[in-house]
């Protein structure tokens, strides 16, 4: 397939992606310099060609809030900062199940169990670990949503147990590029996050890992973060936009340090770098885009969102999100998801082949 446009930088990138090739760092940075309307249309072409025409919704519950020992500069839940949030220990698994059932009723395809801490530890906090597993089992057995979790750093043993219990997806955002990471976090390093993602994938869980835009990173940092995620191989790439929280190191700014134009360009380039992943709009979209602007990312290649409330801030209701999806000419994903952990294990370390297989499959449809 040849993508028709007079802009050769964009046309060449699209044609290569649709032929199963990958674009590199130089290509991606050059694409960020192209006109936003042409770049968005190109990314939308790739989404339409390789996607299913739907927007996939996920929802989360803040299963353990605040008092986190890490010092992530954007996070209201860090014990290092005085942000005034309400804190609580790990929720009763029955409460988590109730939240999952509400999310399912609102049309969410995935439901995420999220904790604020460096890592749920089987060895250091065995009682909490047991409650996590009980929550996973309840959601697994009593709903049809795919189960996601964000439990911090994992050992390989912990990852294997979670996968065996039926955890489909593991969320562990890398937040930004390797270069800029130390500007945001000092209590652990970038490689710690990559190790956990590798362990989750080795165990058979799909990866949901993404970024926060507008923390002061450069356009090249945004590209480098996406390339790191491509090396690991993610099925869902959450794109958060900074929502400055008073009391955090990044809380003194009025808004995210990224323009709306650059946000749309970044979404489009992420689609070209990750042609078969769900590029998912998540935290901060409502405070950085007006309601009548929120369809723009979905016209630039995005095909997923997080609906409902976030961890410490309110979100948007499902009915409004459906309107946003329809404004972009798409429809909500209502199919029952199929999940094959053995496929994930086979794909670990061979993500380029997985992309090629998906493109070849779509060409046969």
């Amino acid at each position: 397939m040849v993508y028709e446009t007079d802009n050769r930088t964009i046309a060449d990138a699209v044609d290569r992606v649709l032929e199963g090739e990958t674009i590199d760092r130089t290509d991606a940075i050059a694409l960020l310099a192209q006109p936003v309307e042409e770049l968005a249309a190109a990314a939308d072409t790739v989404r339409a060609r390789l996607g299913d025409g739907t927007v996939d919704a996920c929802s989360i519950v803040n299963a353990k809030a605040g008092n986190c020992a890490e010092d992530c500069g954007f996070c209201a839940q860090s014990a290092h900062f005085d942000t005034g949030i309400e804190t609580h220990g790990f929720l009763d698994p029955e409460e988590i199940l109730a939240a999952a059932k509400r999310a399912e009723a609102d049309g969410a395809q995935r439901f995420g169990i999220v904790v604020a801490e460096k890592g749920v530890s089987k060895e250091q906090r065995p009682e909490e670990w047991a409650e996590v597993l009980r929550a996973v089992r309840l959601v697994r057995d009593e709903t049809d949503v795919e189960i996601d979790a964000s439990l911090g750093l994992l050992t390989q043993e912990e990852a294997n147990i979670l996968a065996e219990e039926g955890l489909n997806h593991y969320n562990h955002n890398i937040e930004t590029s390797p270069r800029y990471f130390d500007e945001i976090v000092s209590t652990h390093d970038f490689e710690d996050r990559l190790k956990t993602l590798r362990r989750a994938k080795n165990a058979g869980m799909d990866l949901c890992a993404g970024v926060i835009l507008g923390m002061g990173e450069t356009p090249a940092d945004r590209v480098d973060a996406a390339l790191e995620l491509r090396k690991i191989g993610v099925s869902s790439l959450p794109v958060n936009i900074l929502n400055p929280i008073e009391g955090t190191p990044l809380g003194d700014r009025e808004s995210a340090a990224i323009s709306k134009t650059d946000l749309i360009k970044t979404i489009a380039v992420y689609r070209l770098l990750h042609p078969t992943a769900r590029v998912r709009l998540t935290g901060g979209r409502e405070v950085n885009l007006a309601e009548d602007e929120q369809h723009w990312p979905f016209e630039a290649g995005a095909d997923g969102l997080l609906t409902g409330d976030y961890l410490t801030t309110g979100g948007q209701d499902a009915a409004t999100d459906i309107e946003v999806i329809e404004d972009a000419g798409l429809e909500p994903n209502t199919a029952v998801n199929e999940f094959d952990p053995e496929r994930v294990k086979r794909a670990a370390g061979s993500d380029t082949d997985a992309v090629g297989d998906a493109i070849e499959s779509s060409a046969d449809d």
Side-chain angles (χ1 to χ4, degrees), residues 76-352:
Q77 302 197 79
S78 172
H80 295 259
F81 318 131
D82 183 10
T83 60
I85 67 163
E86 293 186 15
T87 66
H88 61 75
F90 194 77
L91 292 176
D92 186 294
E94 294 288 349
E95 293 182 66
I96 293 173
L97 174 61
K101 288 182 175 180
R102 289 194 297 271
E104 184 177 33
D106 284 341
Q109 298 294 296
R110 300 183 185 183
F111 176 75
I113 302 169
V114 184
V115 303
E117 60 187 342
K118 185 170 187 176
V120 173
S121 174
K122 174 178 177 290
E123 298 300 326
Q124 297 178 22
R125 290 179 295 280
E127 293 182 359
E128 181 177 278
W129 174 257
E131 290 293 271
V132 169
L133 297 185
R134 189 160 78 88
V136 170
R137 293 183 196 119
L138 282 172
V139 177
R140 176 197 69 193
D141 294 342
E142 299 193 30
T143 75
D144 289 325
V145 293
E146 290 195 5
I147 315 171
D148 198 338
S150 180
L151 308 173
L153 304 181
L154 295 178
T155 66
Q156 190 61 62
E157 179 190 13
E158 290 165 348
N160 292 343
I161 292 170
L162 289 167
E164 289 166 4
E165 290 290 352
L167 192 64
N168 307 129
H169 310 272
Y170 199 73
N171 169 254
H172 198 56
N173 291 337
I174 62 170
E175 316 301 7
T176 189
S177 70
R179 183 199 73 84
Y180 198 61
F181 188 86
D182 289 348
E183 299 293 321
I184 302 300
V185 185
S186 71
T187 47
H188 61 274
D189 60 32
F190 191 82
E191 183 59 28
D192 289 332
R193 300 215 172 199
L194 296 185
K195 286 178 181 176
T196 283
L197 289 169
R198 294 187 194 106
R199 289 165 182 163
K201 192 163 191 179
N202 288 339
M205 290 181 278
D206 259 333
L207 300 185
C208 175
V211 299
I212 302 175
L213 302 179
M215 296 192 294
E217 76 286 346
T218 67
D221 287 320
R222 295 166 193 156
V223 168
D224 289 341
L227 290 172
E228 290 291 335
L229 293 170
R230 190 169 73 180
K231 289 178 192 175
I232 293 288
V234 298
S235 66
S236 175
L237 198 169
V239 180
N240 298 275
I241 314 158
L242 181 69
N243 179 8
I245 303 297
E246 186 176 355
T248 66
L250 300 181
D252 58 353
R253 54 191 70 188
E254 293 184 3
S255 61
I258 184 170
S259 68
K260 294 177 182 180
T261 296
D262 285 342
L263 169 61
I264 302 307
K265 286 185 178 184
T266 302
I267 294 290
V269 170
Y270 281 9
R271 167 53 61 209
L272 297 174
L273 287 169
H274 292 265
T276 61
R278 289 279 183 182
V279 178
R280 189 179 301 274
L281 267 291
T282 50
R285 62 188 172 97
E286 299 93 343
V287 299
N288 286 283
L289 292 171
E291 190 174 315
D292 62 357
E293 298 171 337
Q294 287 182 35
H295 62 94
W296 292 349
F298 300 101
E299 295 169 356
D303 60 354
L305 56 75
L306 194 160
T307 191
D309 290 340
Y310 301 108
L311 296 176
T312 62
T313 59
Q316 204 158 261
D317 62 77
T320 302
D321 282 336
I322 289 172
E323 292 179 6
V324 170
I325 292 168
E326 292 175 344
D327 285 346
L330 301 171
E331 60 185 39
N333 181 15
T334 58
V336 175
N337 288 307
E338 297 180 358
F339 185 80
D340 178 7
E342 294 305 314
R343 174 191 58 77
V344 178
K345 291 178 183 178
R346 290 193 299 271
S350 59
D351 305 298
T352 299

